[in-house]
Amino acid sequence: MERNVKNASKIKLLALDVDGVLTDGSLNIGAEGELFKAFNARCLLRSGVRVAIITGRKSAIIHRRAEELGITELYEGIKDKRKILADLAAAGGLGQEEIAYMGDDLNDLPALLYAGLACAPADAAPEVISASSFVAANNGGRGAVREAAELILKAQGKWNEIVNAYMKQGQGDSQ
């Protein structure tokens, strides 16, 4: 559901929660006690949009996936996600209208209310959906981040360029 997404063309930073956004929120524990999560994300990094991960948890799995995706801005064990967004804005000389945030639960509300473009997966808490200007058709971990990325890239006129680059030569798996 798109409400007011006019700020999508201004976005220079997309910050993401992990559980329920990059993943479906499931925590899977194997017989040996190992913990693993399912990730489904497409990044904007190649098009010049910064991507940050802000999560309340700490996990080596998050580090590994962030590294694979080329995301260098990773904030773990965070209770006040809004403060991190404000710090990122100040450090990067960004206005609030240049920041997008995608979250799914009540602890994401302050960050969503701060961001110029508030995004939520389809299965987010009702209060999060109400606070969001863009609600993906897909659930967290099932394409919601990709939808937000496409929204931003299309609003910035970069989507067709990316698609054409893939049609000409492909880009491997580092999207």
Side-chain angles (χ1 to χ4, degrees), residues 13 53-54 69 78 85 87 108 123-124 140 148 155 159-161 174:
L13 169 69
I53 293 174
I54 305 172
L69 293 169
I78 303 300
L85 285 184
D87 291 348
D108 295 305
D123 58 345
W159 182 250
N160 288 337
E161 179 182 322
S174 59

Side-chain angles (χ1 to χ4, degrees), residues 31-148:
E32 301 297 317
E34 69 276 12
L35 185 69
F36 61 96
K37 299 179 181 197
F39 285 87
N40 179 3
R42 304 288 190 259
C43 286
L44 300 161
L45 296 169
R46 285 188 37 224
S47 63
V49 176
R50 290 169 46 203
V51 178
I53 293 174
I54 305 172
T55 179
R57 293 186 182 271
K58 291 184 179 184
S59 168
I61 296 165
I62 296 168
H63 279 271
R64 180 173 176 188
R65 187 60 178 145
E67 184 178 313
E68 288 172 356
L69 293 169
I71 298 171
T72 58
E73 298 181 77
L74 174 59
Y75 304 89
E76 295 179 282
I78 303 300
K79 291 189 187 308
D80 187 351
K81 296 176 182 185
R82 183 203 172 281
K83 181 182 181 323
I84 297 297
L85 285 184
D87 291 348
L88 287 169
L94 301 175
Q96 285 178 249
E97 72 280 0
E98 296 174 303
I99 297 174
Y101 181 80
M102 181 174 265
D104 71 307
D105 213 341
L106 300 179
N107 64 327
D108 295 305
L109 283 170
L112 288 162
L113 295 172
Y114 178 85
L117 179 63
C119 305
D123 58 345
E127 296 83 359
V128 169
I129 289 173
S130 292
S132 295
S133 49
F134 173 77
V135 179
N138 288 300
N139 291 342
R142 302 287 184 235
V145 174
R146 180 186 177 95
E147 285 184 60

